[in-house]
Amino acid sequence: MKYFMLRSYILLFFLSKIINGDVLFSSLPQSFHVVAYPTKGQVLKAGEDRITVSLGLNQTTTNQTDNESYKNVKVKLCYAPISQVDRKWRRTVDNLKKDKTCQFTIWDKPYDMNNQTFEWVIEKDIPTAMYFVRAYAYNSAHQERAYGQTTNDKKSSNLFKVEGISGRHLSLDITSICFSAFALLSLVGFFLLEKRHSKIKS
Amino acid sequence: MDISLDSEKNDRKFALPVDSEHKATEFRLFSLATPHMRAFHLSWISFFSCFVSTFAAPPLLPIIRDNLDLTATDIGNAGIAAVSGAVFARIAMGTACDLFGPRLASSSLILLTAPAVFLTAIANSPAAFLMVRFFTGFSLATFVSTQFWMSSMFSPAVVGTANGLSGGWGNLGGGATQLIMPLVYSLIHSNIGSTKFTAWRIAFFIPAFFQTLSAFAIFFLGQDMPDGNYVRLEKSGEKHKDNFSQVFYHAITNYRGWILALTYGYCFGVELTIDNIIAQYFFDRFNVNLHTAGIIAASFGLANLFSRPGGGILSDVVAKWFGMRGRLWTLWVVQMIGGLLCLLLGKVGSLSASIAVMLVFSVFVQAACGLTFGVVPFVSRRSLGVISGMTGGGGNVGAVLTQVIFFRGSRYSTEEGITLMGVMIMCCSLPILFIYFPQWGGMFLGPTKGSTEQDYYLSEWSTAEKEQGFHKMSVKFADNSRTERGRKGISAPIPTDNENPPSTVL
């Protein structure tokens, strides 16, 4: 009885997810073939370097009817497992609504059956981390229907590093140090003033 | 209140009615009159700016953590560092107030810590982030100078109110910063067009400037005591320049200071802990977005607008009827209820119930803070600063301990941690039962027959010191604090003092 209740609960849970429209990553077919250049081991600078991405349908695994339901494709920059360690705000969750693995969309276009290639300059707000590239195909209800990625299932191959900008500028550094010095010098000034006042009073 | 011919003559230059120590006997919130109300406004605004600086990082963490590549452990450690620096800084500040006066002590500390806020703008690594949060946190020691200054400017009848309002409105900074910093950041990012990782850095200049300005305001516009600054009063002989080791000794040998340090750790310390963990708690447990979680976190701190002052006012009102015994009872009851609500907070499972419990909990725990500083001014006159510093430091110790035991690593879930923290609040409030003033009594025992305020406060001075007249201020304070006997005791005849030293007449 308990076992039956458990199974029906799990079944209902998944059904409710589908009814709610929550898509699970594990349910998606890997219909796309995605390749990104530069590849493994390279360090790219945010704001300067570019990534070239090629994507096309994976002929062997695609289903014809599925194919017709794709309305648009988004290509995203995703965190590799090593950059997710001890960082819950980047965690991977099967429920794609709660998944935080892929936080940057680098390309968003209507679906085209042909192979596509595009270039993307790494934007200045991309933080320093290890990444891979993943593409999602969406249906007209904006639900993920298929995916493709540059790395393997374990997310251990073809990872590349992006070095983010520091956000610091020489002018900021100078201003910051000058005002700190000003604060400390004012303090010395206060003590001298106080000493002078006490001498005057006596 | 003693109304002698002497005080009527000296009343001449004060906008507010004063007692024999020239401390104001009334509190007029919307006045800027020197020196009393001006001191009040200077102290709460500068303390507010220090709180804004210390907790300026948490609301911007989603951006800072990406820029500096922080892990959750780095963030947790920086949060603990931010409140641990002030533990010793508060005790040092208390000593500095006793020796140099609150005006110099607080403006110096604020200027010393302003560089840490300026330099946050150029932090480049997790280690640098931890260091700037650690040193910025030292500025929370201005709490002690705030309370000391209020206790120097306001008479026993209104000291709870003055302390509660200045402390509460300062603490408000911890809530206000959760709203101010994201606003400043988005203004810089959207309107000026700086990139995310530059915009947050520029944003930190705002609290840094505010803090620096407040130090200047205190130095040029403030005054240590109603009659003037320490330096001038010491030169003219009205105030004796006290001896550090004696001041320190009389503070650490007063058991009441230690008890209050412990209990304050479990009202204010809990408040600091909640400031650090509550946004994450709502975000993780109830899946609200970070923006909403920030608003909920802010509302906890913003309750300080009325809850801590409410505690201080309540302390003064209860003291009118029941004196010090009333202050102690109210403190204990309010803090116990706070503990119960904390226990409940960890147990409720729905978002709306959690928010409701959290708000009521915030009122009680912050009122307990205000009530604590209704008692502190009476523990010692000579070592008021160090006692205030010990109590204040105890608050931060409580924050560090609680975060380390219950909110670090994955031993307890956050809700379990909150419930256990509630239990700890209740246990650590029990020592209040043991606070006893011979001249006024304690929670369960009445005053010792024949014991007077003068006996208590003058016991802090040696005979040699008394012969030189160093204890004059304590005598005045002792007389003014007779109000702590409550309605019944105040009409009782003053027991004849067996102390009639001829050399005290100066």
Side-chain angles (χ1 to χ4, degrees):
Chain A
M1 183 62 182
K2 248 202 293 191
Y3 197 49
F4 171 71
M5 292 293 282
L6 183 65
R7 279 160 83 190
S8 27
Y9 178 71
I10 295 176
L11 185 67
L12 278 167
F13 177 78
F14 278 106
L15 272 174
S16 72
K17 285 281 176 239
I18 296 170
I19 293 165
N20 282 346
D22 287 4
V23 182
L24 300 177
F25 182 70
S26 46
S27 68
L28 300 178
Q30 190 166 4
S31 306
F32 288 88
H33 181 68
V34 187
V35 179
Y37 303 97
T39 52
K40 174 185 170 166
Q42 277 199 279
V43 177
L44 303 165
K45 289 211 166 60
E48 290 172 25
D49 295 328
R50 0 183 120 228
I51 309 179
T52 310
V53 180
S54 291
L55 75 148
L57 271 179
N58 197 339
Q59 299 302 335
T60 46
T61 55
T62 321
N63 186 326
Q64 191 63 21
T65 42
D66 275 341
N67 202 344
E68 274 153 23
S69 67
Y70 304 154
K71 284 287 173 277
N72 64 321
V73 174
K74 278 191 198 172
V75 179
K76 299 189 177 192
L77 195 62
C78 309
Y79 291 109
I82 194 169
S83 293
Q84 293 175 301
V85 169
D86 204 11
R87 294 177 177 89
K88 276 191 258 177
W89 56 91
R90 295 178 182 171
R91 67 180 181 274
T92 299
V93 176
D94 206 24
N95 182 342
L96 284 172
K97 263 219 178 78
K98 299 193 177 163
D99 181 50
K100 302 262 193 275
T101 320
C102 305
Q103 295 187 12
F104 306 102
T105 302
I106 63 182
W107 200 70
D108 184 359
K109 290 272 152 58
Y111 171 66
D112 188 334
M113 266 176 65
N114 304 320
N115 289 356
Q116 314 244 4
T117 305
F118 64 90
E119 236 186 24
W120 183 71
V121 179
I122 303 175
E123 275 165 25
K124 287 191 179 169
D125 61 356
I126 305 294
T128 304
M130 297 292 286
Y131 295 91
F132 63 94
V133 177
R134 180 183 284 170
Y136 284 112
Y138 294 81
N139 63 9
S140 46
H142 300 291
Q143 288 174 332
E144 295 85 350
R145 278 281 142 253
Y147 80 99
Q149 60 190 26
T150 57
T151 184
N152 57 15
D153 283 338
K154 285 212 184 74
K155 296 184 270 184
S156 55
S157 66
N158 281 342
L159 304 170
F160 57 92
K161 184 171 183 185
V162 170
E163 228 171 63
I165 60 166
S166 70
R168 288 172 62 176
H169 291 277
L170 187 63
S171 53
L172 257 183
D173 289 0
I174 294 176
T175 318
S176 174
I177 294 174
C178 281
F179 277 109
S180 302
F182 171 71
L184 293 172
L185 284 170
S186 308
L187 183 58
V188 174
F190 282 6
F191 277 116
L192 291 174
L193 263 173
E194 200 66 5
K195 257 212 155 98
R196 200 160 25 118
H197 272 150
S198 74
K199 281 208 183 107
I200 292 173
K201 296 285 178 193
S202 66
Chain B
M1 265 178 313
D2 290 319
I3 304 173
S4 66
L5 280 169
D6 233 6
S7 70
E8 276 178 323
K9 269 191 260 172
N10 292 334
D11 264 349
R12 65 196 189 279
K13 47 182 179 166
F14 297 115
L16 271 64
V18 296
D19 64 14
S20 66
E21 287 180 279
H22 294 166
K23 294 184 183 177
T25 54
E26 263 177 42
F27 187 87
R28 289 190 201 147
L29 186 56
F30 297 108
S31 149
L32 284 174
T34 28
H36 309 98
M37 292 316 300
R38 185 188 273 192
F40 168 73
H41 289 293
L42 282 172
S43 64
W44 83 258
I45 290 175
S46 60
F47 185 40
F48 177 93
S49 79
C50 293
F51 244 99
V52 168
S53 303
T54 304
F55 291 101
L60 296 181
L61 269 174
I63 297 133
I64 301 177
R65 69 191 176 197
D66 277 344
N67 193 184
L68 302 183
D69 202 18
L70 303 176
T71 61
T73 307
D74 292 330
I75 295 173
N77 287 342
I80 294 175
V83 296
S84 55
V87 173
F88 291 107
R90 285 182 164 202
I91 301 174
M93 180 60 121
T95 318
C97 284
D98 280 325
L99 301 176
F100 306 114
R103 173 180 153 264
L104 262 186
S106 63
S107 56
S108 305
L109 178 70
I110 294 174
L111 278 180
L112 270 172
T113 49
V117 192
F118 281 115
L119 293 173
T120 308
I122 63 177
N124 221 10
S125 66
F129 184 65
L130 186 115
M131 294 298 276
V132 292
R133 282 212 77 189
F134 176 66
F135 286 110
T136 308
F138 275 61
S139 67
L140 288 185
T142 40
F143 167 72
V144 177
S145 55
T146 301
Q147 304 292 285
F148 184 99
W149 210 356
M150 294 299 97
S151 305
S152 307
M153 287 283 180
F154 293 92
S155 74
V158 289
V159 76
T161 306
N163 277 345
L165 272 165
S166 59
W169 286 9
N171 279 19
L172 209 59
T177 195
Q178 312 259 7
L179 300 170
I180 295 174
M181 291 305 281
L183 189 68
V184 170
Y185 164 80
S186 60
L187 276 172
I188 297 172
H189 181 45
S190 325
N191 294 25
I192 303 181
S194 305
T195 60
K196 276 163 67 167
F197 293 167
T198 302
W200 78 261
R201 294 170 182 280
I202 301 177
F204 263 82
F205 277 90
I206 305 298
F209 281 135
F210 184 20
Q211 203 177 307
T212 312
L213 268 167
S214 66
F216 274 79
I218 292 177
F219 183 79
F220 288 110
L221 301 174
Q223 182 177 309
D224 290 316
M225 301 184 76
D227 289 325
N229 287 318
Y230 272 29
V231 154
R232 190 184 73 76
L233 295 173
E234 281 162 6
K235 290 285 176 190
S236 71
E238 279 173 71
K239 185 188 178 312
H240 152 66
K241 185 174 172 68
D242 215 339
N243 175 297
F244 166 68
S245 55
Q246 283 299 305
V247 164
F248 202 69
Y249 172 77
H250 284 291
I252 59 175
T253 50
N254 193 328
Y255 76 92
R256 300 169 196 85
W258 292 102
I259 293 182
L260 288 171
L262 172 65
T263 63
Y264 196 60
Y266 283 90
C267 53
F268 182 62
V270 163
E271 190 185 329
L272 287 179
T273 304
I274 297 272
D275 275 337
N276 266 336
I277 61 125
I278 199 74
Q280 248 174 288
Y281 173 66
F282 278 95
F283 180 75
D284 289 334
R285 191 169 184 203
F286 300 106
N287 287 317
V288 295
N289 64 35
L290 210 68
H291 193 62
T292 311
I295 295 179
I296 299 175
S299 65
F300 177 84
L302 291 174
N304 266 302
L305 182 67
F306 56 85
S307 51
R308 186 175 176 134
I313 294 170
L314 182 62
S315 189
D316 286 339
V317 165
V318 167
K320 253 198 254 184
W321 292 88
F322 303 107
M324 176 55 68
R325 297 184 74 182
R327 292 190 195 261
L328 290 169
W329 266 101
T330 318
L331 169 60
W332 184 72
V333 167
V334 169
Q335 194 155 323
M336 285 299 270
I337 298 178
L340 265 166
L341 287 164
C342 187
L343 203 157
L344 189 62
L345 179 63
K347 296 269 181 212
V348 290
S350 81
L351 177 63
S352 40
S354 272
I355 296 179
V357 172
M358 186 202 75
L359 288 172
V360 182
F361 164 59
S362 72
V363 171
F364 276 88
V365 81
Q366 289 160 8
C369 296
L371 282 155
T372 308
F373 275 84
V375 174
V376 166
F378 299 99
V379 171
S380 164
R381 180 64 192 87
R382 185 174 191 184
S383 312
L384 172 64
V386 183
I387 294 279
S388 302
M390 276 165 67
T391 310
N396 284 60
V397 170
V400 172
L401 262 176
T402 314
Q403 284 177 89
V404 166
I405 300 175
F406 300 125
F407 298 105
R408 200 207 209 191
S410 42
R411 186 158 175 219
Y412 301 108
S413 67
T414 311
E415 54 263 35
E416 278 174 347
I418 292 177
T419 300
L420 289 170
M421 184 166 69
V423 173
M424 198 151 181
I425 295 173
M426 291 193 279
C427 294
C428 291
S429 306
L430 290 173
I432 299 175
L433 271 50
F434 298 113
I435 297 182
Y436 181 77
F437 289 90
Q439 70 274 33
W440 300 318
M443 276 175 71
F444 295 114
L445 299 167
T448 313
K449 239 186 160 75
S451 179
T452 64
E453 289 80 4
Q454 285 218 2
D455 293 336
Y456 181 77
Y457 290 110
L458 297 185
S459 64
E460 298 182 308
W461 302 90
S462 70
T463 332
E465 288 168 330
K466 282 187 221 170
E467 276 172 11
Q468 295 187 71
F470 292 159
H471 65 304
K472 270 195 293 182
M473 296 197 146
S474 290
V475 173
K476 285 190 187 164
F477 183 73
D479 290 338
N480 290 324
S481 67
R482 287 194 69 236
T483 48
E484 296 308 303
R485 292 177 182 227
R487 213 113 285 204
K488 266 200 279 177
I490 216 161
S491 48
I494 306 167
T496 45
D497 265 334
N498 38 18
E499 204 194 336
N500 274 314
S503 53
T504 50
V505 178
L506 273 165

